[in-house]
Amino acid sequence: MLRTPDATRHQAGPLPQQSGTATADSGQPRLPQEPPVHLTDPVTRAVIRIQGTMLATARAHLREAGFTELLPPVIGPVTDPGVRGSKQVDVDYYGHRYKLMSSAILYKQASLLAFDKIFCIAPCVRLEPLETSNTSRHLAEFHQIDVEIAGADREAAMGVGEDLVRAVVRGVLDAHSDDLKELGRDVSALAPLLDGAFGSMKHAEAVSALHALGHAQSADAEIDWEGEALLSRQSEQPFFVTDYPKGSRGFYDRESRTEPGALRNFDILAPEGYGELCSGSEREHDYGRIVTRMRETGENPAKYEWYLRMARQGIPASAGFGIGLERFTRYVAGLDSVWQASAFPKVPGEVTP
């Protein structure tokens, strides 16, 4: 039987109830308000040890595969517009309105002017809608393992992502049996990931499957949070969802040249109800197509002057992806909520250190 994340396990505490604090009744364990409580919890210590190994394994695996690590900026004149209902954060940069990075996507493409295969591990800030505070999967501040490959197509990027996920999980299983036991993680649930190739379905197939399960998923939109969890519970290993419809993702996801209206993109969904771990795609790199896609998605090309100037001069065709580190940690460690995978968690709507 698949283990579904339980909103009552691994709660740090006990703490007095505070106004505005999420509880198990709202679908998310109560969040400690003071770092000493959270940081000294045995669960937190075990999770941070596991997360450290995940990062070290990811770096070693990607370097072995010929990738160069780069440090992307934390602020810039524009950032990823495809933030699924969340808000970007403005900062005053010497009298200019800059953004905190919601993802490194634009800078990943730029970095390919220096190296053909790059990765970065970068912080991201997104003011998620308040209703996401009870999904157990959202943070306002998180980190991504970002990868970009010049000259690659979607299938190549999917292969790199699958190999990376498998290598990281194997590294944790090899090094952290005691920590996983302390967390109550059923490690047998991770075995299918190590032994077989990830499954795959197109977005249209995912929509049909959700309709069969009684979930009203739009055929023209991203799979919603509840839908992702429902699909996730049907599988015993991670799987890909591909070919999201045009209009559901950012302008940088390349539209298929043979199937107009379908994007050459993908997600990786974890099993057991954990949902999305990763999003990626082939990238639009032609200047004219980028401008057209910007306008189609409601973006003002004038905001992206530096990026479009670079695209006009020529940027490589590429494909890549980003893996949410805290979500990945939650899945590997078998945690109830993503905030447990952060030393200093920022849950949407919670005012915390």
Side-chain angles (χ1 to χ4, degrees):
M1 180 179 295
L2 294 180
R3 175 184 174 276
T4 300
D6 181 345
T8 62
R9 295 177 62 253
H10 297 154
Q11 291 192 42
L15 290 175
Q17 182 65 42
Q18 299 186 35
S19 175
T21 300
T23 67
D25 292 336
S26 66
Q28 181 152 328
R30 184 167 54 199
L31 177 65
Q33 297 299 295
E34 294 298 328
V37 179
H38 180 57
L39 292 169
T40 57
D41 190 304
V43 167
T44 304
R45 293 200 297 269
V47 170
I48 297 304
R49 287 192 293 267
I50 288 170
Q51 193 173 82
T53 292
M54 293 174 67
L55 286 168
T57 304
R59 282 188 163 103
H61 176 82
L62 290 169
R63 286 170 178 157
E64 179 72 17
F67 286 82
T68 298
E69 183 173 7
L70 286 163
L71 298 177
V74 177
I75 62 172
V78 289
T79 187
D80 179 3
V83 288
R84 202 168 179 173
S86 63
K87 295 181 180 179
Q88 299 173 354
V89 179
D90 292 340
V91 296
D92 184 340
Y93 183 69
Y94 300 102
H96 297 272
R97 179 179 290 182
Y98 269 42
K99 307 284 187 182
L100 295 182
M101 290 295 105
S102 56
S103 93
I105 174 61
L106 305 181
Y107 292 94
K108 286 199 298 179
Q109 285 186 277
S111 298
L112 295 179
L113 296 173
F115 300 99
D116 288 340
K117 300 167 72 174
I118 66 99
F119 77 97
C120 56
I121 298 169
C124 304
V125 177
R126 302 178 184 179
L127 297 184
E128 300 284 358
L130 291 177
E131 58 265 26
T132 62
S133 66
N134 64 6
T135 65
S136 299
R137 299 202 291 125
H138 287 83
L139 292 171
E141 179 185 71
F142 61 98
H143 296 78
Q144 282 195 160
I145 304 171
D146 272 302
V147 172
E148 200 73 15
I149 313 157
D153 62 11
R154 177 181 65 185
E155 285 67 31
M158 290 167 65
V160 172
E162 180 173 344
D163 289 345
L164 177 58
V165 168
R166 186 175 289 114
V168 169
V169 172
R170 184 177 287 115
V172 170
L173 291 174
D174 289 345
H176 291 281
S177 58
D178 289 344
D179 285 325
L180 293 169
K181 182 178 180 180
E182 181 176 356
L183 293 170
R185 180 54 162 137
D186 177 9
V187 296
S188 67
L190 298 170
L193 179 154
L194 301 177
D195 297 335
F198 292 3
S200 182
M201 66 173 67
K202 291 187 176 183
H203 179 272
E205 295 171 316
V207 170
S208 295
L210 287 170
H211 289 172
L213 292 168
H215 181 69
Q217 170 64 47
S218 169
D220 299 319
E222 289 191 292
I223 306 299
D224 60 34
W225 311 123
E226 183 182 353
E228 283 185 0
L230 286 170
L231 288 175
S232 177
R233 292 189 189 107
Q234 310 307 308
S235 178
E236 293 186 348
Q237 64 179 173
F239 61 97
F240 293 101
V241 178
T242 67
D243 297 271
Y244 281 75
K246 186 178 178 181
S248 66
R249 292 284 173 96
F251 64 80
Y252 39 78
D253 282 13
R254 184 173 180 265
E255 183 178 4
S256 172
R257 303 298 186 255
T258 58
E259 298 180 54
L263 298 175
R264 293 280 296 166
N265 59 6
F266 65 92
D267 282 355
I268 298 176
L269 271 63
E272 304 177 81
Y274 287 100
E276 179 201 324
L277 298 179
C278 169
S279 288
S281 74
E282 290 179 22
R283 314 300 188 189
E284 293 287 5
H285 65 282
D286 175 79
Y287 170 79
R289 288 184 180 274
I290 291 173
V291 172
T292 298
R293 289 291 309 284
M294 283 181 174
R295 289 173 175 154
E296 289 175 345
T297 57
E299 287 295 313
N300 179 4
K303 295 192 308 181
Y304 295 86
E305 184 207 358
W306 76 269
Y307 175 75
L308 290 175
R309 185 168 63 249
M310 181 182 67
R312 187 184 291 111
Q313 294 168 352
I315 53 177
S318 69
F321 58 85
I323 297 177
L325 175 62
E326 287 82 1
R327 286 186 182 180
F328 193 11
T329 305
R330 180 191 174 219
Y331 163 57
V332 173
L335 304 173
D336 301 316
S337 289
V338 71
W339 66 259
Q340 294 169 295
S342 175
F344 300 96
K346 301 292 190 298
V347 171
E350 294 286 340
V351 180
T352 55

